[in-house]
Amino acid sequence: MPPVLQFTHRNQVPDTAVKHGKRTKICDLLNETAVGKKVTVKGWVRTFRNNQFIALNDGSALQNIQAVVDFENTDESLLKRITTGACISLTGELIESKGKGQKVEIVVEDLEILGDADAEKYPLQPKRHSLEFLREIAHLRVRTNTFSTIYRIRHAMIFAVHKFFTEKGFYNIHTPVITGSDAEGAGEMFRVTTLDPINPPKTEEGEVDYREDFFGKETNLTVSGQLEVETACMALSEVYTFGPTFRAENSNTSRHLAEFWMIEPEMAFYDINDTMDLAEEFLKYLVNYALDHCHADLQFLDRRAADEEKNKPQHERSELSLLERLRFVLENDFVRITYTEAIDILRNSKPNKKKKFQYLIDAWGADLQSEHERYLVEKHFKKPVILYNYPKDIKAFYMRRNEDDRTVAAMDVLFPGIGEIIGGSQREERYDLLKQRIDELRIPEKDLWWYLELRKFGTAPHSGFGLGFERMMQFVTGMGNIRDVIPFPRTPDNAEF
Ligand code: 4AD
Ligand code: MG
C-alpha cells in the first residue's frame, strides 16, 4: 500500500524546512536508477493530471519529473492547490517509471505547497501560447519550455565566450557603460543626465549648460566598448570586452534591440586577415559548444522550428532544419569577398534587375541593406560570407584606410537568416591619418584626445570586431525575433519590467 500523503504548510509546521532541506535537482534524477531511494524535489507544477500525476519542473533540465500522488488518501483541499504554476516541495520514494523518456518517478509521501498559483488568474496554461502574448508576460515566460531552454542556452553561450578567449590567452576588460564619446559616430545615443528636464541650467547663449551636469560634461550610454578596450590592447596585446551596449536607433525590426550585449575582442599585431580568421574560428567554436553541451535543449528547439516552418508558405521555408544549419556552419569555410565584388554580384542579381529589392543597387558606394546581405548568403553563396574592404564613407572613423584611398579595412560577417552578425576592422594606427579623418567628420577632438594619444605613444597595428550576442543567440536557437532571446527586450516604446 502506498504511503499516506500528509500535507504540511510552512507556517503551520516549522520543521518542514529541515525535512525538505536537502533537495535533489531534477536533472540529476533523470539519470537516476536507484529505485527505492528517498528524495526531495522542489519546483513548479507544469501539469497535474487525474488528481494523481504531477509533472514538476525546476529548470535544471527541459524534462519534468513525474510524481504520483495517492489521491484517495489525500485531503481534497490540498489536491485543489496543486495547480499549474504552483511551487511545491515533495518527498517520496523512487520507483521505476513505466512512462516514456524517464527511468524513475516519485511516489509522493509528503508534499508542501511553497507558493500557490491562483488557477483562475495564472496566465500560463499547459498549451502553446503565442510568442507575442508571452512577450507581454516576460516576467513569467521563462516558465515555459521554449524560454527556459533559451535561457539555459544563453548561459552556455556566455560561458563559451569566456572559455574561448581564456583558452587563447585574451584578458577580459570591463569597459564603462557611461561614456563621453560616440564610438560609432552614428549619433544614436541615450543621454545620461541628472539635470532638471523642465528647468535646466543655461549658458549665456541659451543652450543647456552641461558643465552643471553630474559629470561636468555631456555623457551617454555606450554604443560600444571598443574605444576603451583599445587602450588595454595597447598593453595586454589581446583583450576583449563583453558588456551591454545601447543604441537609440528607431528600428523596429526582428534583429534590433535598443539594449543588447556585445563581445568585442581587440588584438594587437593582427591585420584584417588575421581578424577574419579569428571571427570565423570564434563563431564555429560557439556553435560547436552549443551542439556539444545543449543537446536536449537544441533538439527541442529543432522540433519547435520545424513546427513553425509548417505554417510558412513554401517559398519562405528554410531548406535546412535548425540542427542542420548549425552543422552546416561548422562544416563549411566562410566565403570571403570584397565589397566591390559583392556590389558586382548584387547589381547583376535577379532581384535587382527585376526591381525586387526595396533598395536597388546601382552604384559602387551604396550601403548594403539586410535584404542584400541575405541575398548573398542565402541565395547566391548559400554559406556564411565575410565582406571586407568597404567604402570609407559608409564606415566608422577609426577604420584603417587602404592604399586605394577610397576603401577601409573593414569586415562584416553575414549569416543565414540574420544578415550582419559581426562588424569589425583593422584600426587606423597612423596618427596623421586618424586625425585627418576625425577632422573631416567634424568629430570634436575634446572627446577623443585620449584615443588619439594611443597613436602618439607606442602605436601598433591592431584590429578587432564586435559580435552581437543576441544575433548569435538567434542563430543558435533559430528564434525569428531578437526580442525572444534576451530576458527583457528594450525596443522603441517598450521598457516594461
Ligand atoms: O557593426 P557594429 O556597429 O560594430 C561596432 O560597434 C564595433 N565597435 C565593433 C568592434 O569593432 N569592436 O556592431 C557590431 C555588432 C553587429 O554586427 C550586430 O551583430 C550587433 O553588434 N548589433 C546589434 N544587435 C542588436 N541590436 C542592435 N541594434 C545592434 N546593432 C549592432
Ligand atoms: Mg556594423
Side-chain angles (χ1 to χ4, degrees):
M1 202 186 108
V4 174
L5 182 72
Q6 289 159 13
F7 171 53
T8 51
H9 192 277
R10 175 149 289 183
N11 295 332
Q12 294 154 5
V13 186
D15 72 344
T16 51
V18 179
K19 206 166 13 168
H20 287 186
K22 240 191 168 349
R23 144 180 183 246
T24 306
K25 285 201 176 206
I26 291 171
C27 62
D28 295 329
L29 282 183
L30 295 172
N31 295 316
E32 182 65 80
T33 48
V35 167
K37 187 173 164 182
K38 196 168 268 198
V39 296
T40 295
V41 295
K42 302 182 185 194
W44 291 266
V45 176
R46 284 296 178 80
T47 56
F48 184 38
R49 283 187 298 119
N50 303 341
N51 262 347
Q52 200 175 7
F53 302 107
I54 303 173
L56 196 70
N57 192 287
D58 67 0
S60 62
L62 175 64
Q63 246 180 296
N64 306 320
I65 189 88
Q66 172 153 294
V68 192
V69 178
D70 171 20
F71 66 97
E72 280 175 359
N73 291 305
T74 308
D75 185 351
E76 201 178 325
S77 66
L78 166 65
L79 291 176
K80 277 204 179 117
R81 294 174 64 193
I82 309 175
T83 60
T84 298
C87 184
I88 66 176
S89 169
L90 56 83
T91 301
E93 202 176 282
L94 294 181
I95 58 163
E96 201 181 320
S97 175
K98 290 173 201 78
K100 263 204 316 211
Q102 54 190 27
K103 296 192 184 82
V104 290
E105 56 192 52
I106 305 171
V107 178
V108 179
E109 293 167 17
D110 188 39
L111 186 147
E112 182 184 0
I113 308 265
L114 300 177
D116 289 286
D118 185 338
E120 306 269 286
K121 299 203 178 110
Y122 187 62
L124 290 171
Q125 293 309 316
K127 62 161 197 175
R128 182 171 283 196
H129 295 285
S130 76
L131 294 172
E132 289 78 12
F133 170 72
L134 292 173
R135 268 172 229 147
E136 287 168 18
I137 49 164
H139 59 308
L140 298 174
R141 66 178 179 170
V142 62
R143 300 184 191 194
T144 62
N145 281 337
T146 299
F147 285 91
S148 54
T149 287
I150 291 167
Y151 279 39
R152 277 189 296 270
I153 296 177
R154 199 177 153 105
H155 167 78
M157 290 293 92
I158 294 167
F159 182 75
V161 166
H162 290 299
K163 192 162 160 12
F164 175 81
F165 287 117
T166 303
E167 284 166 5
K168 288 203 160 293
F170 282 58
Y171 299 105
N172 183 209
I173 307 296
H174 287 155
T175 49
V177 169
I178 301 173
T179 74
S181 52
D182 179 2
E184 292 305 302
E188 292 167 337
M189 296 170 305
F190 290 100
R191 174 165 285 146
V192 174
T193 179
T194 53
L195 291 181
D196 176 359
I198 297 173
N199 207 355
K202 297 273 176 66
T203 61
E204 276 175 14
E205 293 77 38
E207 284 167 0
V208 176
D209 190 356
Y210 287 104
R211 286 172 307 180
E212 302 273 313
D213 205 345
F214 188 91
F215 296 107
K217 61 184 285 194
E218 281 191 73
T219 50
N220 45 267
L221 295 178
T222 189
V223 296
S224 154
Q226 178 196 325
L227 303 190
E228 287 91 351
V229 92
E230 279 187 49
T231 66
C233 179
M234 290 297 105
L236 299 172
S237 301
E238 283 155 319
V239 294
Y240 69 107
T241 178
F242 183 177
T245 50
F246 307 86
R247 296 194 186 179
E249 54 191 329
N250 209 348
S251 348
N252 241 321
T253 78
S254 58
R255 297 169 308 105
H256 285 88
L257 291 166
E259 177 177 306
F260 63 99
W261 289 69
M262 190 162 32
I263 299 128
E264 297 182 271
E266 193 70 31
M267 301 76 66
F269 321 119
Y270 274 48
D271 68 13
I272 190 73
N273 292 309
D274 302 325
T275 308
M276 291 193 261
D277 290 345
L278 184 75
E280 181 166 345
E281 186 187 346
F282 179 43
L283 291 169
K284 286 181 169 169
Y285 183 95
L286 294 182
V287 168
N288 193 42
Y289 191 90
L291 286 169
D292 275 357
H293 295 85
C294 309
H295 193 68
D297 284 325
L298 282 179
Q299 287 221 305
F300 170 80
L301 290 173
D302 190 59
R303 284 194 302 274
R304 187 183 183 288
D307 280 351
E308 299 260 290
E309 287 288 303
K310 284 189 205 136
N311 299 327
K312 287 187 187 163
Q314 190 74 34
H315 69 277
E316 277 180 29
R317 285 187 202 164
S318 143
E319 286 166 30
L320 302 179
S321 75
L322 172 63
L323 287 170
E324 285 167 343
R325 277 202 299 278
L326 297 181
R327 288 194 203 103
F328 185 81
V329 160
L330 280 189
E331 286 158 10
N332 285 283
D333 287 342
F334 297 2
V335 173
R336 298 184 190 187
I337 57 164
T338 62
Y339 166 90
T340 304
E341 289 167 300
I343 285 289
D344 281 343
I345 293 169
L346 289 167
R347 210 190 277 144
N348 295 314
S349 70
K350 243 196 209 159
N352 201 54
K353 288 186 164 159
K354 292 193 166 171
K355 302 201 179 353
K356 286 271 160 60
F357 282 144
Q358 197 185 340
Y359 297 88
L360 294 177
I361 299 287
D362 51 0
W364 191 92
D367 204 353
L368 299 187
Q369 307 295 326
S370 107
E371 56 180 346
H372 309 126
E373 296 171 342
R374 292 184 59 175
Y375 173 83
L376 291 170
V377 172
E378 290 159 30
K379 298 275 178 322
H380 190 83
F381 289 110
K382 295 185 192 281
K383 276 185 195 171
V385 174
I386 310 184
L387 290 190
Y388 62 98
N389 289 351
Y390 280 77
K392 67 170 194 271
D393 291 331
I394 59 171
K395 287 291 180 188
F397 72 93
Y398 53 71
M399 297 189 178
R400 191 177 198 278
R401 192 196 292 181
N402 286 325
E403 266 162 25
D404 62 14
D405 245 17
R406 62 175 196 162
T407 63
V408 286
M411 67 102 184
D412 279 3
V413 182
L414 314 179
F415 254 36
I418 309 284
E420 179 191 337
I421 197 161
I422 278 182
S425 73
Q426 190 166 337
R427 318 306 190 190
E428 185 56 83
E429 85 284 14
R430 297 161 293 188
Y431 179 88
D432 292 339
L433 289 178
L434 182 62
K435 173 85 172 66
Q436 188 190 329
R437 193 68 186 136
I438 286 174
D439 291 343
E440 272 168 20
L441 294 171
R442 294 172 204 276
I443 301 171
E445 207 186 310
K446 69 171 178 22
D447 294 343
L448 288 179
W449 62 271
W450 54 273
Y451 188 71
L452 274 162
E453 273 199 359
L454 299 179
R455 277 72 180 164
K456 271 194 194 157
F457 307 132
T459 194
H462 65 293
S463 307
F465 62 80
L467 169 66
F469 185 59
E470 284 74 21
R471 291 201 185 162
M472 185 62 191
M473 279 296 298
Q474 277 190 277
F475 181 72
V476 171
T477 60
M479 297 302 287
N481 196 313
I482 200 164
R483 292 168 175 82
D484 298 327
V485 296
I486 187 166
F488 297 102
R490 300 298 179 234
T491 50
D493 285 326
N494 173 33
E496 193 64 53
F497 308 103

